[in-house]
C-alpha cells in the first residue's frame, strides 16, 4: 500500500491568517476564544491546491486555523479539497480537557468537541483528533473519565462517518503506559495518532510501543540548537515506523524558524535520501517535492522562534 504524505498545518501557522485558540475561562466557566494575529500569505481555501502542487495528497488542519464555520465556507473548503484531490485527513481539536474532575469543565469541553465534530463533517474531514486531557498520566480515575467522554464523542461522530482519534498530547496521555491503558479502556473504538515529539524520556522506546496502534503519525523532527533538522534522529524514528509495520498517514510537521520557502524545503528534506527511507516509504516523492512553485521566496517572511505545537 502506498503511504499517504500529509502536512500538519501548524507548520504553516504564520501564513494562513489569524489563529483563533480556545482557553478555559474560570470566571465564566466556559471556553473562550482568543485571537492571535497572523498574516494571510494565502487563504486556507487555497491550501489544498498549494499542497497538491508540492506532491502532498493529504492535510491535517487545526481548529484554530478556521477563519469561519458558516455552512457556505465549510462547503467551499470541502470543495477545494475535493477539486485538488487532497484528503482532509484530520481536523485537529487542540483544546479540551476530558479528564477534568470538575464536571462543569469536562462537560463544557465535551460540548466544545462535539461542535467541532459537526464542523469536521461539514468540511469533509475523515477524522477528528481529540486530546485525552491534562490530568497526571498515573491518575486512573482521570483516564476513566476521559475514556467515558471520548466514547460518547465517538458514538456521536460515527453517525456522521467521522473517526475519532486521540494522541500522545497533553499530560494524561504523555506516556506509553497511560496511552495504552486509555485505548484499552476505550475497547478499540478510538484511533491513535503517534507524535514523534511528544514523549519525554525514553522517547524512542515509547514511540516503538505505541506505533502498532497508530493510524496516523505526526512526523515531527527535533531541531538543532544551531538551526536545521536533526536528520539522524528523525530517520531513526522513521525507521521505527517501518520496523513496527506502520502503513498509515505521515503528517509532516516542521515547527522551526525560516521563510515559507525554507519550511517547504524542510518538508522535502525530512526523509534523508542517504538512509534509503524515502524509497521505502515514498517511492514517487522525487525532486518535485523540492519545488516551491506558487509560494513566496525564502526572503519573504520570517517565523518567530520555535514554538511547541502538536
Amino acid at each position: 500500500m502506498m503511504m499517504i504524505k500529509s502536512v500538519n498545518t501548524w507548520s504553516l501557522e504564520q501564513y494562513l491568517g489569524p489563529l483563533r485558540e480556545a482557553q478555559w475561562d474560570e470566571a465564566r466557566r466556559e471556553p473562550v476564544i482568543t485571537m492571535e494575529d497572523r498574516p494571510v500569505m494565502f487563504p486556507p481555501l487555497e491550501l489544498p491546491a498549494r499542497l497538491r502542487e508540492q506532491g502532498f495528497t493529504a492535510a491535517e488542519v487545526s481548529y484554530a486555523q478556521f477563519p469561519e464555520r458558516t455552512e457556505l465556507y465549510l462547503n467551499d473548503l470541502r470543495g477545494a479539497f475535493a477539486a485538488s484531490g487532497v484528503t482532509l485527513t484530520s481536523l485537529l481539536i487542540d483544546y479540551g480537557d476530558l479528564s477534568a474532575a470538575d464536571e462543569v469543565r469536562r462537560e463544557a469541553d465535551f460540548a466544545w468537541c462535539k461542535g467541532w465534530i459537526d464542523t469536521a463533517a461539514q468540511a469533509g474531514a475523515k477524522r477528528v483528533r481529540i486530546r485525552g486531557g491534562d490530568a497526571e498520566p498515573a491518575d486512573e480515575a482521570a483516564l476513566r473519565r476521559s475514556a467515558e467522554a471520548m466514547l460518547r464523542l465517538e458514538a456521536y461522530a460515527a453517525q456522521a462517518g467521522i473517526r475519532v482519534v486521540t494522541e500522545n498530547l497533553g499530560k494524561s496521555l504523555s506516556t506509553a503506559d497511560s496511552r495504552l491503558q486509555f485505548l484499552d479502556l476505550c475497547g478499540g473504538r478510538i484511533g491513535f495518532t503517534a507524535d514523534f515529539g511528544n514523549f519525554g524520556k525514553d522517547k524512542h522506546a515509547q514511540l516503538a510501543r505505541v506505533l502498532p496502534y497508530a493510524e496516523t503519525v505526526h512526523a515531527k523532527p527535533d531541531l538543532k540548537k544551531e538551526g536545521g533538522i536533526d536528520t539522524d534522529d528523525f530517520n531513526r524514528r522513521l525507521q521505527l515506523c517501518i520496523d513496527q509495520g506502520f502503513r498509515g498517514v505521515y503528517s509532516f510537521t516542521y515547527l522551526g524558524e525560516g521563510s515559507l520557502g525554507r519550511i517547504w524545503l524542510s518538508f522535502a528534506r525530512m526523509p534523508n535520501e542517504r538512509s534509503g527511507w524515502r524509497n521505502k516509504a515514498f517511492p514517487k516523492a522525487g525532486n518535485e517535492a523540492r519545488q516551491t512553485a506558487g509560494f513566496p521566496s525564502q526572503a519573504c517572511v520570517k517565523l518567530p522562534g520555535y514554538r511547541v505545537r502538536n
Side-chain angles (χ1 to χ4, degrees), residues 215-236:
E215 55 195 69
T216 67
V217 299
H218 286 173
K220 178 169 60 183
D222 289 341
L223 304 176
K224 298 178 180 179
K225 291 182 179 179
E226 64 273 19
I229 290 170
D230 185 342
T231 55
D232 290 339
D233 182 75
F234 188 68
N235 283 318
R236 179 179 175 185

Side-chain angles (χ1 to χ4, degrees), residues 15-236:
Y15 303 100
L16 295 175
L19 297 176
R20 296 167 175 84
E21 297 185 86
Q23 59 184 7
W24 180 251
D25 187 315
E26 185 60 30
R28 295 171 57 175
R29 305 290 284 161
E30 64 181 4
V32 298
I33 295 293
T34 60
M35 191 161 72
E36 190 173 344
D37 195 31
R38 291 288 189 274
V40 183
M41 300 302 296
F42 55 90
L45 289 177
E46 292 183 11
L47 174 67
R50 301 288 185 112
L51 294 178
R52 188 69 192 198
E53 289 172 1
Q54 306 305 318
F56 292 93
T57 59
E60 293 189 318
V61 181
S62 171
Y63 82 101
Q65 294 168 314
F66 278 69
E68 57 182 282
R69 296 166 70 186
T70 64
E71 182 177 358
L72 177 61
Y73 179 82
L74 295 176
N75 286 339
D76 286 347
L77 185 63
R78 184 179 192 135
F81 273 98
S84 300
V86 175
T87 300
L88 179 51
T89 299
S90 301
L91 193 159
L92 305 175
I93 304 175
D94 298 294
Y95 166 81
D97 185 4
L98 300 180
S99 69
D102 180 346
E103 185 176 2
V104 172
R105 167 73 191 271
R106 189 171 67 254
E107 289 302 311
D109 287 355
F110 171 87
W112 169 269
C113 292
K114 188 176 177 182
W116 277 99
I117 289 171
D118 293 338
T119 298
Q122 288 181 275
K126 303 299 182 185
R127 300 174 182 82
V128 291
R129 192 271 280 125
I130 300 174
R131 302 170 78 254
D134 297 318
E136 293 295 329
D139 187 337
E140 294 189 4
L143 285 178
R144 287 194 295 271
R145 288 193 296 268
S146 181
E148 185 274 336
M150 193 80 71
L151 287 171
R152 287 162 58 201
L153 290 171
E154 186 276 337
Y156 182 75
Q159 298 175 47
I162 301 289
R163 170 81 163 159
V164 171
V165 302
T166 191
E167 183 183 341
N168 52 318
L169 170 67
K171 190 179 293 185
S172 292
L173 303 185
S174 61
T175 68
D177 284 341
S178 63
R179 197 225 49 98
L180 293 173
Q181 183 179 354
F182 179 83
L183 288 189
D184 185 60
L185 288 169
C186 292
R189 289 168 52 189
I190 303 298
F192 181 64
T193 294
D195 189 292
F196 282 9
N198 289 351
F199 285 124
K201 62 180 181 180
D202 302 323
K203 59 185 180 182
H204 298 101
Q206 293 202 77
L207 180 62
R209 288 182 63 195
V210 302
L211 276 171
Y213 302 88
E215 55 195 69
T216 67
V217 299
H218 286 173
K220 178 169 60 183
D222 289 341
L223 304 176
K224 298 178 180 179
K225 291 182 179 179
E226 64 273 19
I229 290 170
D230 185 342
T231 55
D232 290 339
D233 182 75
F234 188 68
N235 283 318
R236 179 179 175 185

